[in-house]
Amino acid sequence: MSIELKNVYKIYQSGDIRTEALKNVDLSIKNGEFLVVLGPSGSGKSTLLNVISGLDNVTSGTVKYNEDIISDYNVDQLTKFRRENLGFIFQQYNLLQNLNVEDNVKMGADISENPLDVDEILDKVGLKKMKYKYTYQLSGGEQQRVSIARSIVKNPNIMFCDEPTGSLDEKTGKQILEILEKLNKEYKTTTVVITHNPNIANMGDRIIKMNSGEIEKIIINKNKVPAKEIKWS
């Protein structure tokens, strides 16, 4: 499933204050690509993720998945589209504390028409032996793995990751990135990672550099660095 953005603007208006969060963005994302969007805080990278994924509407321009223009969808159509096609991983884990690991992951499977096997995915992220633990019994890195498992078990066409290692230490962060790397390779899931860390960007097939709401540069990365070898600082 390819993605194409054309002349995309996102403008926020608060009284007399007008903020252009995205300005004239053109971007194509290939099926199966590992794409990294890099930029400092306020550069527009999270806004870009939100409009690509339909979590927010564009002010003008188009967002197209294959031949479907999702920027024209209404709320119900967007909800259905996200449920059937997209997975999300955020810096906040958004897990249900009253459910164990297995049940949190099953929530992802239950809303998918073609889910993957829950035990297989728990094994992939190294949580099979912890399936009956409650999330409050887990470390931050383990909780992020549950979040990843819940998203990938949906068998999404595209995975969106917004600063997925932002609150993790180096060892745990690299483990999370290795999981994303492995899932991208094994399941051919198109993966879009938002980060402010230029070292993480070296994992990507392409690096999209953003500044002040615009794409400053697109770099084709001919020397991808495996997650376990990236520098952290």
Side-chain angles (χ1 to χ4, degrees):
M1 178 176 281
S2 62
I3 309 169
E4 184 176 2
L5 282 71
K6 194 71 175 173
N7 303 126
V8 166
Y9 284 80
K10 179 62 185 180
I11 300 169
Y12 296 100
Q13 191 82 35
S14 178
D16 295 332
I17 300 174
R18 185 176 187 267
T19 303
E20 291 186 322
L22 294 176
K23 294 179 276 189
N24 196 30
V25 170
D26 292 331
L27 179 63
S28 295
I29 303 174
K30 303 170 187 175
N31 187 35
E33 186 172 24
F34 196 112
L35 188 82
V36 178
V37 182
L38 177 68
S41 177
S43 62
K45 58 187 187 296
S46 291
T47 303
L48 179 65
L49 181 147
N50 289 342
V51 300
I52 294 176
S53 62
L55 289 173
D56 203 353
N57 297 317
V58 301
T59 302
S60 63
T62 58
V63 180
K64 182 188 289 188
Y65 282 70
N66 293 341
E67 299 305 314
D68 297 322
I69 302 175
I70 71 159
S71 47
D72 289 342
Y73 282 5
N74 62 33
V75 172
D76 291 339
Q77 289 173 314
L78 280 172
T79 300
K80 183 175 185 291
F81 176 81
R82 288 193 299 268
R83 185 175 65 243
E84 294 177 353
N85 294 283
L86 310 182
F88 294 91
I89 300 167
F90 298 104
Q91 188 172 341
Q92 297 78 25
Y93 314 129
N94 298 318
L95 302 176
L96 293 180
Q97 299 297 314
N98 62 328
L99 298 180
N100 63 27
V101 168
E102 181 182 44
D103 289 337
N104 265 284
V105 175
K106 279 183 176 178
M107 289 183 63
D110 289 344
I111 63 173
S112 172
E113 293 182 352
N114 186 32
L116 300 172
D117 181 76
V118 171
D119 282 333
E120 177 187 345
I121 298 304
L122 286 173
D123 190 41
K124 293 283 185 188
V125 301
L127 288 174
K128 197 167 185 179
K129 293 181 180 179
M130 301 181 186
K131 64 190 291 186
Y132 298 122
K133 283 191 173 184
Y134 286 88
T135 53
Y136 64 81
Q137 297 174 298
L138 305 177
S139 68
E142 288 164 347
Q143 290 187 56
Q144 186 64 297
R145 292 187 198 186
V146 178
S147 175
I148 291 172
R150 183 183 57 191
S151 294
I152 203 69
V153 79
K154 287 179 60 182
N155 197 15
N157 293 308
I158 302 151
M159 180 73 78
F160 291 103
C161 313
D162 193 356
E163 298 281 7
T165 63
S167 59
L168 304 176
D169 59 66
E170 178 176 352
K171 180 181 177 181
T172 307
K174 284 187 177 181
Q175 289 173 345
I176 295 303
L177 293 173
E178 282 187 70
I179 292 168
L180 295 176
E181 183 179 60
K182 182 169 66 173
L183 294 172
N184 172 254
K185 289 179 179 177
E186 292 186 11
Y187 293 101
K188 310 300 181 188
T189 305
T190 304
T191 304
V192 180
V193 176
I194 305 296
T195 185
H196 65 274
N197 187 333
N199 295 313
I200 292 176
N202 292 325
M203 292 176 57
D205 295 307
R206 285 189 299 155
I207 302 163
I208 311 299
K209 287 192 170 183
M210 294 200 69
N211 195 24
S212 301
E214 298 179 286
I215 293 179
E216 198 171 53
K217 184 186 292 185
I218 298 178
I219 300 169
I220 298 173
N221 189 11
K222 296 181 179 179
N223 299 297
K224 289 177 64 174
V225 178
K228 63 182 179 182
E229 294 180 14
I230 66 172
K231 297 178 181 178
W232 202 251
S233 59

Short mmCIF file of all heavy atoms in Angstrom, two decimals, residues 47-68:
data_model
loop_
_atom_site.label_atom_id
_atom_site.label_comp_id
_atom_site.label_asym_id
_atom_site.label_seq_id
_atom_site.Cartn_x
_atom_site.Cartn_y
_atom_site.Cartn_z
N THR A 47 2.94 16.29 13.45
CA THR A 47 1.78 16.73 12.66
C THR A 47 1.74 15.98 11.34
O THR A 47 0.66 15.56 10.88
CB THR A 47 1.85 18.24 12.40
OG1 THR A 47 1.93 18.95 13.63
CG2 THR A 47 0.60 18.71 11.64
N LEU A 48 2.89 15.79 10.74
CA LEU A 48 2.96 15.02 9.49
C LEU A 48 2.44 13.61 9.70
O LEU A 48 1.63 13.11 8.91
CB LEU A 48 4.41 14.98 8.98
CG LEU A 48 4.64 14.18 7.69
CD1 LEU A 48 3.92 14.84 6.51
CD2 LEU A 48 6.14 14.06 7.40
N LEU A 49 2.88 12.95 10.77
CA LEU A 49 2.38 11.60 11.07
C LEU A 49 0.87 11.62 11.25
O LEU A 49 0.16 10.74 10.75
CB LEU A 49 3.07 11.05 12.31
CG LEU A 49 2.67 9.64 12.75
CD1 LEU A 49 3.88 8.92 13.38
CD2 LEU A 49 1.53 9.66 13.77
N ASN A 50 0.37 12.61 11.95
CA ASN A 50 -1.07 12.67 12.23
C ASN A 50 -1.91 12.82 10.96
O ASN A 50 -2.98 12.22 10.84
CB ASN A 50 -1.37 13.81 13.21
CG ASN A 50 -0.88 13.50 14.60
OD1 ASN A 50 -0.62 12.35 14.95
ND2 ASN A 50 -0.73 14.54 15.42
N VAL A 51 -1.43 13.63 10.00
CA VAL A 51 -2.23 13.81 8.79
C VAL A 51 -2.07 12.62 7.83
O VAL A 51 -3.01 12.25 7.13
CB VAL A 51 -1.93 15.14 8.07
CG1 VAL A 51 -2.22 16.32 8.97
CG2 VAL A 51 -0.52 15.20 7.53
N ILE A 52 -0.88 12.01 7.82
CA ILE A 52 -0.71 10.81 6.98
C ILE A 52 -1.62 9.69 7.45
O ILE A 52 -2.20 8.97 6.65
CB ILE A 52 0.76 10.32 7.00
CG1 ILE A 52 1.70 11.32 6.36
CG2 ILE A 52 0.89 8.98 6.25
CD1 ILE A 52 3.17 10.93 6.46
N SER A 53 -1.74 9.56 8.77
CA SER A 53 -2.50 8.45 9.34
C SER A 53 -3.99 8.76 9.51
O SER A 53 -4.74 7.89 9.97
CB SER A 53 -1.91 8.07 10.70
OG SER A 53 -2.01 9.16 11.61
N GLY A 54 -4.40 9.95 9.19
CA GLY A 54 -5.81 10.29 9.34
C GLY A 54 -6.23 10.59 10.76
O GLY A 54 -7.43 10.67 11.06
N LEU A 55 -5.26 10.78 11.67
CA LEU A 55 -5.60 11.19 13.02
C LEU A 55 -5.98 12.67 13.07
O LEU A 55 -6.62 13.13 14.01
CB LEU A 55 -4.43 10.93 13.97
CG LEU A 55 -4.13 9.47 14.30
CD1 LEU A 55 -2.83 9.36 15.10
CD2 LEU A 55 -5.28 8.82 15.06
N ASP A 56 -5.55 13.41 12.05
CA ASP A 56 -5.89 14.82 11.93
C ASP A 56 -6.17 15.13 10.47
O ASP A 56 -5.69 14.43 9.57
CB ASP A 56 -4.73 15.69 12.44
CG ASP A 56 -5.18 17.08 12.87
OD1 ASP A 56 -6.36 17.42 12.64
OD2 ASP A 56 -4.35 17.82 13.42
N ASN A 57 -6.99 16.14 10.23
CA ASN A 57 -7.35 16.51 8.86
C ASN A 57 -6.36 17.53 8.29
O ASN A 57 -5.83 18.36 9.03
CB ASN A 57 -8.76 17.12 8.82
CG ASN A 57 -9.82 16.13 9.26
OD1 ASN A 57 -9.78 14.97 8.88
ND2 ASN A 57 -10.75 16.60 10.08
N VAL A 58 -6.14 17.47 7.00
CA VAL A 58 -5.32 18.50 6.35
C VAL A 58 -6.16 19.75 6.16
O VAL A 58 -7.40 19.68 6.07
CB VAL A 58 -4.78 18.01 4.98
CG1 VAL A 58 -3.93 16.76 5.15
CG2 VAL A 58 -5.90 17.76 3.99
N THR A 59 -5.51 20.90 6.12
CA THR A 59 -6.20 22.14 5.80
C THR A 59 -6.44 22.23 4.30
O THR A 59 -7.50 22.64 3.84
CB THR A 59 -5.38 23.36 6.28
OG1 THR A 59 -5.16 23.23 7.69
CG2 THR A 59 -6.12 24.65 6.00
N SER A 60 -5.44 21.81 3.53
CA SER A 60 -5.58 21.70 2.08
C SER A 60 -4.56 20.69 1.57
O SER A 60 -3.63 20.31 2.28
CB SER A 60 -5.38 23.06 1.40
OG SER A 60 -4.06 23.54 1.62
N GLY A 61 -4.77 20.25 0.33
CA GLY A 61 -3.92 19.22 -0.24
C GLY A 61 -4.57 17.85 -0.13
O GLY A 61 -5.71 17.73 0.35
N THR A 62 -3.88 16.82 -0.57
CA THR A 62 -4.45 15.47 -0.58
C THR A 62 -3.51 14.46 0.06
O THR A 62 -2.29 14.57 -0.04
CB THR A 62 -4.76 15.00 -2.01
OG1 THR A 62 -3.56 15.03 -2.80
CG2 THR A 62 -5.81 15.86 -2.67
N VAL A 63 -4.12 13.47 0.72
CA VAL A 63 -3.41 12.31 1.24
C VAL A 63 -4.05 11.08 0.60
O VAL A 63 -5.26 10.85 0.77
CB VAL A 63 -3.50 12.21 2.77
CG1 VAL A 63 -2.75 10.97 3.28
CG2 VAL A 63 -2.96 13.47 3.43
N LYS A 64 -3.26 10.34 -0.14
CA LYS A 64 -3.79 9.22 -0.93
C LYS A 64 -3.12 7.91 -0.54
O LYS A 64 -1.89 7.85 -0.40
CB LYS A 64 -3.58 9.50 -2.42
CG LYS A 64 -4.15 8.42 -3.34
CD LYS A 64 -3.74 8.64 -4.80
CE LYS A 64 -4.43 9.83 -5.41
NZ LYS A 64 -4.18 9.91 -6.88
N TYR A 65 -3.92 6.87 -0.34
CA TYR A 65 -3.43 5.50 -0.16
C TYR A 65 -3.86 4.71 -1.38
O TYR A 65 -5.06 4.53 -1.60
CB TYR A 65 -4.02 4.87 1.10
CG TYR A 65 -3.36 5.31 2.39
CD1 TYR A 65 -3.53 6.60 2.87
CD2 TYR A 65 -2.56 4.44 3.12
CE1 TYR A 65 -2.93 7.02 4.05
CE2 TYR A 65 -1.96 4.85 4.31
CZ TYR A 65 -2.15 6.13 4.76
OH TYR A 65 -1.55 6.54 5.93
N ASN A 66 -2.89 4.25 -2.16
CA ASN A 66 -3.20 3.67 -3.46
C ASN A 66 -4.09 4.65 -4.23
O ASN A 66 -3.68 5.76 -4.48
CB ASN A 66 -3.82 2.28 -3.31
CG ASN A 66 -2.82 1.27 -2.74
OD1 ASN A 66 -1.62 1.48 -2.78
ND2 ASN A 66 -3.31 0.16 -2.22
N GLU A 67 -5.32 4.27 -4.52
CA GLU A 67 -6.20 5.18 -5.25
C GLU A 67 -7.23 5.86 -4.35
O GLU A 67 -8.08 6.61 -4.83
CB GLU A 67 -6.92 4.41 -6.38
CG GLU A 67 -5.98 3.82 -7.42
CD GLU A 67 -5.06 4.86 -8.03
OE1 GLU A 67 -5.54 5.96 -8.39
OE2 GLU A 67 -3.85 4.59 -8.12
N ASP A 68 -7.17 5.58 -3.05
CA ASP A 68 -8.15 6.16 -2.12
C ASP A 68 -7.62 7.47 -1.54
O ASP A 68 -6.54 7.51 -0.94
CB ASP A 68 -8.43 5.17 -0.98
CG ASP A 68 -9.07 3.89 -1.47
OD1 ASP A 68 -9.90 3.97 -2.40
OD2 ASP A 68 -8.73 2.81 -0.95
#
